Amino acid sequence: MSLLHSFRRRRKSASVAKDRLQIIIAQERSNLNSEDYLPMLREEILAVIAKYTKVDREHVRVDLQHRDNSAVLELNVMLPEKETV
Amino acid sequence: MAKIIVVTSGKGGVGKTTTSASFATGLAMRGHRTVVIDFDVGLRNLDLVMGCERRVVYDLVNVIQNEANLQQALIKDKTVPKLYVLAASQTRDKEVLTQEGVKKILDELSKEFKYIVCDSPAGIEKGAHMAMYYADEALVVTNPEVSSVRDSDRILGMLSSKTGRAVEGQEPIKEHLIITRYNSNRVDSGEMLSIEDIKELLGIELMGVVPESEAVLDASNKGQPVIHNLSSSAGQAYTDIVARFLGEDVPMRFIEKEKGFFKRLFRSHKEVAV
């Protein structure tokens, strides 16, 4: 199907609908499962990192994982190459 | 013990009441004692679709507030024996629906009925929450359209986290997908989300596809659930849904473009196999 689609010049609207839904549903599911403070925490961490380095927003990941009785907060920052301010 | 089935969707206007009416009627036609309850307090419509609007004396809220007993509030269907309707209140707001009040009614109905069908209001507020709280199974009614699919996903989230079964850690509610207002010709030309698309997005098992049909409006005009109209595609689709719910193996109909049926049937099998 997807091969066929790529040969067509204009994409059919149903396939656009599906792609948009896949993104928004995944996002909303993860929001519902995450802690309320996580988006704010992420923003503040980003602000601190931005104070010292030029880092792309895309390269900062804040995840909270639950394992049995404990939760692990994982902070993943990819710094740009030799570009400290 | 009765089995409690909630008919829900999140979005309004997708066919919850149409589905509740036909599904409950179908179960009763198959010989099971069935009651269908309207949870849309303030905006009741199930009575109209079932054709019993002039016989409503007492309603769900009257029973919850001990102003009437269940026997006074239950409306017996005119044509199908073993089928009863419990109307919603038209005047009060949804906040009068309490968890304890709903439980009391469902417990009492459970003694008398085999199936209790709860017609949920739209939205994710109190009325919708109460309609799903004690459910054993859920029919999630979805149109092949972006806002309906998104809202159905929200409702699936609620079913798996905010219901009695979820809170008490029991076996989760069985979720069944009902796709309504489906137009196989538009799907074929790429203008409408397909059954496979919706199944993939929502990740639940498909219980039936009801094609867009003029018979649905005609049925609600007359106050006769569309399942009575067996010459219509929608009536046949609901008959199939009831049979599948009762455990029968009924092949899906109305899912292929109207021409070239066998060719497309073969192709869809190949896609499933991949």
Side-chain angles (χ1 to χ4, degrees):
Chain A
M1 272 307 265
S2 57
L3 242 173
L4 238 164
H5 274 286
S6 62
F7 282 116
R8 289 180 187 160
R9 184 162 279 176
R10 271 175 43 215
R11 289 177 74 207
K12 298 286 184 179
S13 67
S15 106
V16 178
K18 189 184 177 187
D19 291 348
R20 292 173 59 215
L21 278 168
Q22 269 171 334
I23 293 165
I24 193 71
I25 285 177
Q27 195 184 323
E28 286 177 345
R29 278 182 194 169
S30 68
N31 284 349
L32 281 178
N33 295 331
S34 68
E35 307 296 325
D36 290 345
Y37 60 78
L38 218 57
M40 268 166 65
L41 178 72
R42 184 173 186 273
E43 286 310 307
E44 285 180 34
I45 288 172
L46 265 169
V48 173
I49 293 169
K51 246 170 83 180
Y52 298 96
T53 76
K54 277 184 192 165
V55 70
D56 196 334
R57 287 180 67 95
E58 304 287 299
H59 293 141
V60 180
R61 266 185 38 217
V62 182
D63 287 318
L64 191 67
Q65 285 176 13
H66 293 278
R67 286 177 200 144
D68 302 322
N69 291 326
S70 65
V72 178
L73 182 70
E74 193 182 288
L75 177 63
N76 203 324
V77 185
M78 222 165 83
L79 291 170
E81 286 176 36
K82 295 173 190 170
E83 252 195 280
T84 41
V85 179
Chain B
M1 268 301 275
K3 187 168 270 180
I4 302 172
I5 306 113
V6 62
V7 179
T8 183
S9 71
K11 191 176 182 299
V14 299
K16 279 184 298 298
T17 302
T18 298
T19 298
S20 299
S22 279
F23 182 67
T25 303
L27 288 171
M29 285 163 83
R30 295 288 302 265
H32 304 290
R33 279 183 68 82
T34 303
V35 56
V36 55
I37 309 175
D38 191 348
F39 274 80
D40 204 344
V41 173
L43 289 170
R44 78 168 174 230
N45 278 316
L46 180 68
D47 53 339
L48 270 178
V49 175
M50 294 293 295
C52 64
E53 71 278 5
R54 296 181 63 187
R55 293 192 289 139
V56 179
V57 181
Y58 295 109
D59 56 55
L60 177 66
V61 175
N62 291 137
V63 182
I64 287 182
Q65 302 196 327
N66 292 317
E67 294 157 355
N69 63 41
L70 257 179
Q71 297 313 320
Q72 291 173 298
L74 284 174
I75 304 164
K76 192 178 186 312
D77 191 78
K78 281 173 294 185
T79 51
V80 183
K82 301 189 179 180
L83 178 61
Y84 291 79
V85 179
L86 182 53
S89 171
Q90 188 64 310
T91 50
R92 307 175 208 211
D93 78 306
K94 293 182 208 305
E95 296 308 306
V96 296
L97 285 182
T98 58
Q99 205 163 299
E100 306 76 56
V102 172
K103 183 172 177 12
K104 186 189 82 175
I105 287 187
L106 294 177
D107 283 347
E108 211 173 315
L109 288 171
S110 282
K111 294 175 201 154
E112 272 189 66
F113 289 95
K114 180 136 188 227
Y115 294 108
I116 302 172
V117 179
C118 302
D119 182 20
S120 171
I124 51 173
E125 308 305 323
K126 185 100 181 243
H129 190 205
M130 284 305 103
M132 68 167 63
Y133 195 85
Y134 294 102
D136 301 305
E137 307 205 17
L139 305 187
V140 179
V141 183
T142 306
N143 287 171
E145 181 267 323
V146 285
S147 42
S148 175
V149 174
R150 180 199 211 170
D151 291 356
S152 290
D153 194 69
R154 287 292 302 274
I155 284 295
L156 288 171
M158 273 180 84
L159 285 168
S160 61
S161 65
K162 293 185 175 159
T163 50
R165 282 175 173 268
V167 171
E168 285 159 32
Q170 296 168 355
E171 197 185 323
I173 291 176
K174 265 192 214 160
E175 301 153 339
H176 310 283
L177 175 63
I178 308 270
I179 300 174
T180 54
R181 309 195 74 163
Y182 194 73
N183 183 328
S184 50
N185 290 337
R186 299 197 73 184
V187 171
D188 190 74
S189 54
E191 301 164 45
M192 184 180 266
L193 289 165
S194 70
I195 295 165
E196 293 305 320
D197 290 340
I198 300 169
K199 272 167 68 181
E200 188 187 327
L201 287 159
L202 296 178
I204 61 173
E205 159 266 334
L206 179 69
M207 178 154 273
V209 179
V210 182
E212 176 98 73
S213 162
E214 289 174 6
V216 173
L217 178 61
D218 184 60
S220 73
N221 285 344
K222 295 173 181 162
Q224 296 164 349
V226 73
I227 195 165
H228 285 302
N229 183 352
L230 284 176
S231 62
S232 72
S233 54
Q236 293 168 24
Y238 280 117
T239 304
D240 288 358
I241 286 168
V242 170
R244 283 186 205 110
F245 183 83
L246 295 172
E248 290 163 33
D249 191 13
V250 182
M252 291 285 167
R253 292 194 268 180
F254 317 113
I255 58 175
E256 305 296 336
K257 193 185 171 192
E258 273 128 33
K259 278 179 187 168
F261 178 83
F262 286 104
K263 197 177 164 190
R264 296 186 46 76
L265 189 75
F266 184 67
R267 203 196 75 183
S268 77
H269 276 300
K270 269 201 318 206
E271 279 175 12
V272 170
V274 170

